Amino acid sequence: MEQKDESVKLGTNTFPEGQPLGTAAQGGDRDYSEPPPSPLYEWEEPISWSFYRAGIAEFMATLLFLYILVMTVIGVVQTSDKCSTVGLQGIAWAVGGMIFVLVYCTAGISGGHINPAVTFGLLLARKISLTRAIFYMIMQCLGAICGAGIAKGLEKSGRFEQFGGAANVVQPGYTKGVGLAAEIIGTFVLVYTWIFWVGPFVGAALAALYHQVVIRAIPFKSK
């Protein structure tokens, strides 16, 4: 009982004042180990099927993403009454929903980048090799071209050209510098936070699957 009271009395004063925060507050001992940086070039990658399968996954994911995005944007901007369509919020939901689904489907195959900016950021962080990064970017660009091409082919009466292929433009009243700053901030948020969205959802799904398939399948003996 005395030991319990002593622990309660200490409370947040367990560490001395001025102690560094984070993992340093634990005396420098981490309960995990950082993976080694990815080499600049891995000779075995171009001769493995998993390398090309990952590229195909990036190609298909980017194709589907661009197709859905272009068609959604054109469907919104072609009408004068935005209330009769999904509106700007619908575009946002389409982008976020497609990113979530596609990353969930491809994370275990290619890492679910679906964006050359994400691939470039992970390359700079030494999480992937230069060979894989270049291959991913090529497949992503090809997928984007094919996705936009399919949307153009399915649109009638030249609406694809009329609305600029749903491409981003700097709106009147804003300078190119403001547009550049918005893209920089948006890409920073995308690259920095996507793992903290995908990771918890995938981890939760795996935990539920593990509980249902493994834990509940074990024949426990009651005492």
Side-chain angles (χ1 to χ4, degrees):
M1 183 66 180
E2 295 180 358
Q3 184 178 2
K4 181 178 180 181
D5 293 340
E6 183 67 20
S7 299
V8 173
K9 187 184 298 182
L10 287 174
T12 58
N13 296 322
T14 303
F15 298 105
E17 187 176 358
Q19 177 74 17
L21 298 176
T23 55
Q26 304 171 5
D29 297 329
R30 297 181 177 180
D31 57 355
Y32 67 94
S33 59
E34 289 283 351
S38 179
L40 188 63
Y41 184 82
E42 293 187 9
W43 297 95
E44 297 82 5
E45 280 188 331
I47 60 175
S48 64
W49 164 241
S50 61
F51 178 75
Y52 296 99
R53 184 180 64 173
I56 295 172
E58 289 293 317
F59 171 85
M60 292 302 302
T62 313
L63 183 152
L64 292 172
F65 177 69
L66 260 293
Y67 169 73
I68 296 296
L69 176 60
V70 170
M71 296 295 283
T72 303
V73 172
I74 292 179
V76 171
V77 300
Q78 69 178 347
T79 59
S80 57
D81 183 12
K82 298 299 184 293
C83 294
S84 63
T85 64
V86 294
L88 297 179
Q89 290 184 341
I91 296 176
W93 277 105
V95 173
M98 285 298 296
I99 286 290
F100 175 80
V101 172
L102 293 174
V103 171
Y104 183 85
C105 293
T106 60
I109 304 174
S110 63
H113 297 190
I114 322 176
N115 191 323
V118 174
T119 301
F120 181 68
L122 293 176
L123 172 64
L124 295 181
R126 299 291 303 277
K127 299 301 182 182
I128 60 174
S129 66
L130 177 62
T131 310
R132 184 175 291 269
I134 294 176
F135 182 55
Y136 275 16
M137 290 181 182
I138 293 174
M139 297 302 286
Q140 289 161 355
C141 291
L142 290 175
I145 293 172
C146 292
I150 294 174
K152 180 179 180 180
L154 294 179
E155 281 293 338
K156 299 178 180 179
S157 304
R159 289 188 298 181
F160 185 90
E161 293 81 1
Q162 179 183 355
F163 299 108
N168 290 336
V169 294
V170 179
Q171 297 297 321
Y174 295 92
T175 64
K176 293 182 179 179
V178 173
L180 177 62
E183 288 294 320
I184 292 174
I185 295 172
T187 306
F188 172 84
V189 174
L190 171 65
V191 174
Y192 186 76
T193 62
W194 71 278
I195 56 175
F196 300 108
W197 280 92
V198 178
F201 278 103
V202 175
L206 291 177
L209 181 64
Y210 176 78
H211 177 77
Q212 293 292 331
V213 176
V214 179
I215 298 299
R216 296 187 62 180
I218 299 177
F220 293 100
K221 294 182 179 180
S222 59
K223 294 182 181 180

